[in-house]
Coordinates of all heavy atoms in Angstrom, one line a residue:
Q7 N 171.0 144.5 108.8 CA 170.8 144.3 107.3 C 169.5 144.8 106.9 O 169.3 145.4 105.8 CB 170.9 142.8 107.0 CG 172.4 142.3 107.1 CD 173.3 143.0 106.1 OE1 173.9 144.0 106.5 NE2 173.4 142.5 104.9
L8 N 168.4 144.6 107.7 CA 167.1 145.0 107.4 C 167.0 146.6 107.4 O 166.4 147.2 106.5 CB 166.0 144.5 108.3 CG 164.6 144.9 108.2 CD1 164.1 144.7 106.7 CD2 163.7 144.1 109.1
A9 N 167.7 147.2 108.4 CA 167.7 148.6 108.5 C 168.4 149.3 107.3 O 167.9 150.3 106.8 CB 168.3 149.1 109.9
H10 N 169.5 148.7 107.0 CA 170.2 149.2 105.8 C 169.4 149.1 104.4 O 169.4 150.1 103.7 CB 171.6 148.4 105.5 CG 172.6 148.9 106.4 ND1 172.9 150.1 106.8 CD2 173.6 148.1 107.0 CE1 173.9 150.1 107.7 NE2 174.3 148.9 107.7
K11 N 168.7 148.0 104.4 CA 167.9 147.9 103.1 C 166.8 148.9 103.0 O 166.4 149.4 102.0 CB 167.3 146.4 103.1 CG 168.3 145.3 102.9 CD 169.0 145.2 101.6 CE 169.8 144.0 101.5 NZ 170.5 143.9 100.3
L12 N 166.2 149.2 104.2 CA 165.0 150.2 104.3 C 165.7 151.6 103.9 O 165.1 152.3 103.1 CB 164.5 150.2 105.6 CG 163.6 149.0 106.0 CD1 163.4 149.0 107.6 CD2 162.3 149.0 105.4
S13 N 166.8 151.9 104.5 CA 167.4 153.2 104.2 C 167.8 153.3 102.7 O 167.6 154.4 102.0 CB 168.6 153.5 105.0 OG 168.3 153.6 106.4
K14 N 168.4 152.3 102.2 CA 168.8 152.3 100.7 C 167.6 152.4 99.8 O 167.5 153.2 98.9 CB 169.6 151.0 100.5 CG 170.2 151.0 99.0 CD 171.1 152.1 98.7 CE 171.9 151.9 97.5 NZ 171.1 151.8 96.2
K15 N 166.5 151.7 100.2 CA 165.3 151.7 99.4 C 164.7 153.1 99.3 O 164.1 153.5 98.4 CB 164.2 150.6 99.9 CG 163.0 150.6 99.1 CD 163.2 150.0 97.8 CE 161.8 149.7 97.0 NZ 162.0 149.1 95.7
L16 N 164.7 153.7 100.6 CA 164.2 155.1 100.7 C 164.9 156.0 99.8 O 164.3 156.8 99.1 CB 164.4 155.6 102.2 CG 163.8 157.0 102.5 CD1 162.4 157.2 102.0 CD2 164.0 157.3 104.0
S17 N 166.3 155.9 99.7 CA 167.1 156.8 98.8 C 166.8 156.4 97.3 O 166.7 157.3 96.5 CB 168.5 156.6 99.1 OG 168.9 157.3 100.2
D18 N 166.6 155.1 97.0 CA 166.4 154.6 95.6 C 165.1 155.2 95.1 O 165.0 155.6 94.0 CB 166.4 153.1 95.6 CG 167.8 152.6 95.7 OD1 168.8 153.3 95.6 OD2 167.9 151.4 96.0
V19 N 164.0 155.1 95.8 CA 162.7 155.6 95.4 C 162.7 157.1 95.3 O 162.0 157.7 94.3 CB 161.5 155.1 96.3 CG1 161.4 153.5 96.3 CG2 161.6 155.7 97.7
R20 N 163.5 157.8 96.1 CA 163.6 159.2 96.0 C 164.2 159.6 94.6 O 163.7 160.6 93.9 CB 164.4 159.9 97.1 CG 164.8 161.2 96.9 CD 165.5 161.8 98.0 NE 166.8 161.2 98.4 CZ 168.0 161.5 97.7 NH1 168.0 162.5 96.8 NH2 169.1 160.8 98.1
K21 N 165.1 158.8 94.2 CA 165.8 159.2 92.9 C 165.2 158.6 91.7 O 165.3 159.2 90.6 CB 167.3 158.6 93.0 CG 168.2 159.2 94.1 CD 169.5 158.4 94.2 CE 170.4 159.0 95.2 NZ 171.7 158.2 95.3
E22 N 164.4 157.5 91.8 CA 163.9 156.8 90.7 C 162.4 156.9 90.4 O 161.9 156.7 89.3 CB 164.2 155.3 90.8 CG 165.8 155.1 90.9 CD 166.2 153.7 91.3 OE1 165.2 152.9 91.5 OE2 167.3 153.4 91.4
D23 N 161.6 157.3 91.5 CA 160.1 157.3 91.4 C 159.6 158.7 91.3 O 159.7 159.5 92.2 CB 159.5 156.6 92.5 CG 158.0 156.3 92.4 OD1 157.4 157.0 91.6 OD2 157.5 155.4 93.1
N24 N 159.2 159.1 90.0 CA 158.7 160.5 89.7 C 157.5 160.7 90.7 O 157.2 162.0 90.8 CB 158.4 160.6 88.4 CG 159.6 160.6 87.5 OD1 160.8 160.9 87.9 ND2 159.4 160.3 86.2
N25 N 156.8 159.8 91.1 CA 155.6 160.1 92.0 C 156.1 160.4 93.4 O 155.1 160.8 94.2 CB 154.7 158.8 92.0 CG 154.0 158.6 90.6 OD1 153.6 159.5 89.9 ND2 153.9 157.3 90.2
L26 N 157.3 160.2 93.7 CA 157.8 160.4 95.1 C 158.8 161.5 95.0 O 159.8 161.6 95.9 CB 158.3 159.2 95.7 CG 157.3 158.0 95.9 CD1 158.2 156.8 96.3 CD2 156.3 158.4 96.8
D27 N 158.8 162.4 94.1 CA 159.7 163.5 93.8 C 159.6 164.6 95.0 O 160.4 165.5 95.0 CB 159.7 164.1 92.4 CG 158.3 164.7 92.2 OD1 157.5 164.7 93.1 OD2 158.1 165.3 91.1
W28 N 158.8 164.4 95.9 CA 158.7 165.3 97.0 C 159.6 164.9 98.2 O 159.7 165.5 99.2 CB 157.3 165.4 97.6 CG 156.5 164.2 97.5 CD1 155.7 163.7 96.5 CD2 156.5 163.2 98.6 NE1 155.2 162.4 96.9 CE2 155.7 162.1 98.2 CE3 157.1 163.2 99.9 CZ2 155.4 161.0 99.0 CZ3 156.9 162.0 100.6 CH2 156.1 161.0 100.2
L29 N 160.2 163.7 98.1 CA 161.2 163.2 99.1 C 162.5 164.0 98.9 O 162.9 164.4 97.9 CB 161.4 161.7 98.8 CG 160.3 160.8 99.2 CD1 160.7 159.3 98.8 CD2 160.0 160.8 100.6
L30 N 163.1 164.2 100.1 CA 164.5 164.9 100.2 C 165.5 163.9 100.8 O 165.1 162.9 101.2 CB 164.3 166.2 101.0 CG 163.4 167.3 100.3 CD1 163.1 168.4 101.3 CD2 164.0 167.8 99.1
P31 N 166.7 164.3 100.8 CA 167.8 163.3 101.0 C 167.9 162.7 102.4 O 168.3 161.6 102.6 CB 169.1 164.0 100.6 CG 168.6 165.1 99.6 CD 167.3 165.5 100.1
D32 N 167.5 163.4 103.4 CA 167.8 163.0 104.8 C 166.8 161.9 105.2 O 165.5 162.0 104.8 CB 167.8 164.2 105.8 CG 168.3 163.9 107.1 OD1 168.9 162.8 107.3 OD2 168.4 164.8 107.9
G33 N 167.2 160.9 105.9 CA 166.3 159.9 106.4 C 167.0 159.0 107.3 O 168.2 158.8 107.3
K34 N 166.1 158.2 108.0 CA 166.6 157.1 109.0 C 165.6 156.0 109.0 O 164.5 156.2 108.6 CB 166.7 157.8 110.4 CG 167.6 159.0 110.5 CD 167.7 159.5 111.9 CE 168.6 158.8 112.7 NZ 168.8 159.5 114.1
S35 N 166.1 154.8 109.4 CA 165.3 153.6 109.6 C 165.7 152.9 110.8 O 166.8 153.2 111.3 CB 165.5 152.7 108.4 OG 166.7 152.1 108.3
Q36 N 164.8 152.1 111.3 CA 165.0 151.3 112.5 C 164.3 150.0 112.4 O 163.1 150.1 112.1 CB 164.6 152.2 113.7 CG 165.1 151.7 115.1 CD 164.9 152.6 116.1 OE1 165.7 153.5 116.4 NE2 163.8 152.5 116.9
A37 N 164.9 149.0 112.7 CA 164.2 147.7 112.6 C 164.4 146.9 114.0 O 165.5 146.8 114.6 CB 164.8 146.7 111.5
T38 N 163.3 146.5 114.5 CA 163.2 145.7 115.8 C 162.9 144.2 115.4 O 161.8 144.0 114.9 CB 162.3 146.3 116.8 OG1 162.7 147.7 117.1 CG2 162.2 145.5 118.1
I39 N 163.7 143.3 115.9 CA 163.5 141.9 115.7 C 163.2 141.1 117.0 O 163.9 141.4 117.9 CB 164.8 141.3 115.0 CG1 165.2 142.2 113.7 CG2 164.5 139.8 114.6 CD1 164.2 142.2 112.7
L40 N 162.2 140.3 116.9 CA 161.9 139.4 118.1 C 162.8 138.2 117.8 O 162.8 137.5 116.8 CB 160.4 139.0 118.1 CG 160.1 137.9 119.1 CD1 160.2 138.5 120.5 CD2 158.6 137.4 118.9
Y41 N 163.5 137.9 118.9 CA 164.5 136.6 118.9 C 164.0 135.6 119.9 O 163.4 136.0 121.0 CB 165.8 137.0 119.3 CG 166.7 137.6 118.1 CD1 166.6 139.1 117.9 CD2 167.6 136.9 117.4 CE1 167.5 139.7 116.8 CE2 168.3 137.5 116.4 CZ 168.2 138.9 116.2 OH 169.0 139.4 115.1
D42 N 164.3 134.5 119.6 CA 164.3 133.4 120.6 C 165.7 132.8 120.7 O 166.2 132.1 119.8 CB 163.3 132.1 120.1 CG 163.2 131.0 121.1 OD1 163.9 131.1 122.2 OD2 162.4 130.2 121.0
K43 N 166.4 133.2 121.8 CA 167.8 133.1 122.0 C 168.5 133.7 120.7 O 168.5 134.9 120.6 CB 168.2 131.6 122.1 CG 169.6 131.5 122.8 CD 169.9 129.9 123.1 CE 171.3 129.9 123.8 NZ 171.7 128.5 124.1
Y44 N 169.2 132.9 119.9 CA 169.9 133.6 118.8 C 169.1 133.4 117.4 O 169.6 133.7 116.5 CB 171.3 132.8 118.6 CG 172.2 133.0 119.6 CD1 173.1 132.0 120.1 CD2 172.3 134.3 120.3 CE1 174.0 132.2 121.1 CE2 173.3 134.5 121.3 CZ 174.1 133.5 121.7 OH 175.0 133.6 122.7
K45 N 167.9 132.9 117.5 CA 167.1 132.8 116.2 C 166.1 133.9 116.0 O 165.2 134.1 116.8 CB 166.3 131.5 116.3 CG 165.6 131.1 115.0 CD 164.9 129.8 115.2 CE 164.0 129.5 113.9 NZ 163.3 128.2 113.9
P46 N 166.1 134.6 114.9 CA 165.2 135.6 114.6 C 163.8 135.0 114.4 O 163.6 134.0 113.5 CB 165.7 136.3 113.3 CG 167.1 135.9 113.2 CD 167.2 134.6 113.9
I47 N 162.7 135.4 115.0 CA 161.5 134.9 114.9 C 160.5 135.7 113.9 O 159.8 135.2 113.0 CB 160.7 134.8 116.3 CG1 161.6 133.9 117.2 CG2 159.3 134.2 116.2 CD1 161.9 132.5 116.7
K48 N 160.5 137.1 114.3 CA 159.7 137.9 113.3 C 160.2 139.4 113.5 O 160.9 139.7 114.4 CB 158.2 137.8 113.7 CG 157.8 138.3 115.0 CD 156.4 138.0 115.4 CE 155.4 138.5 114.5 NZ 154.0 138.2 114.9
V49 N 159.7 140.2 112.6 CA 160.0 141.7 112.7 C 158.9 142.2 113.6 O 157.7 142.2 113.2 CB 160.0 142.3 111.3 CG1 160.2 143.9 111.5 CG2 161.1 141.7 110.4
D50 N 159.3 142.8 114.7 CA 158.3 143.4 115.6 C 157.8 144.8 115.2 O 156.6 145.0 115.2 CB 158.9 143.4 117.0 CG 157.8 143.9 118.1 OD1 157.1 143.1 118.5 OD2 157.9 145.1 118.4
N51 N 158.7 145.6 114.8 CA 158.3 146.9 114.4 C 159.3 147.5 113.6 O 160.5 147.2 113.6 CB 157.8 147.8 115.6 CG 159.0 148.2 116.5 OD1 159.8 149.1 116.1 ND2 159.3 147.5 117.5

């Protein structure tokens, strides 16, 4: 869910923010979460 939100935000700012009009369509995101068993504790990177 976090990775999708990052990728979608990247596309949104490309289309909507004139100060970021140097962005192009291709992109990727990756989210690493620290868990304690099944509980998310924090975003590691």
Side-chain angles (χ1 to χ4, degrees):
Q7 287 300 91
L8 178 53
H10 283 323
K11 297 289 187 183
L12 288 164
S13 292
K14 184 63 166 61
K15 182 69 171 180
L16 177 56
S17 287
D18 288 346
V19 298
R20 169 175 63 86
K21 297 174 181 178
E22 298 168 4
D23 190 336
N24 291 332
N25 293 318
L26 300 175
D27 59 1
W28 41 267
L29 289 171
L30 293 172
D32 197 359
K34 305 178 80 170
S35 67
Q36 194 168 275
T38 299
I39 309 298
L40 174 66
Y41 280 86
D42 184 355
K43 199 174 180 180
Y44 292 144
K45 182 180 180 181
I47 302 300
K48 70 188 304 184
V49 179
D50 183 79
N51 68 82

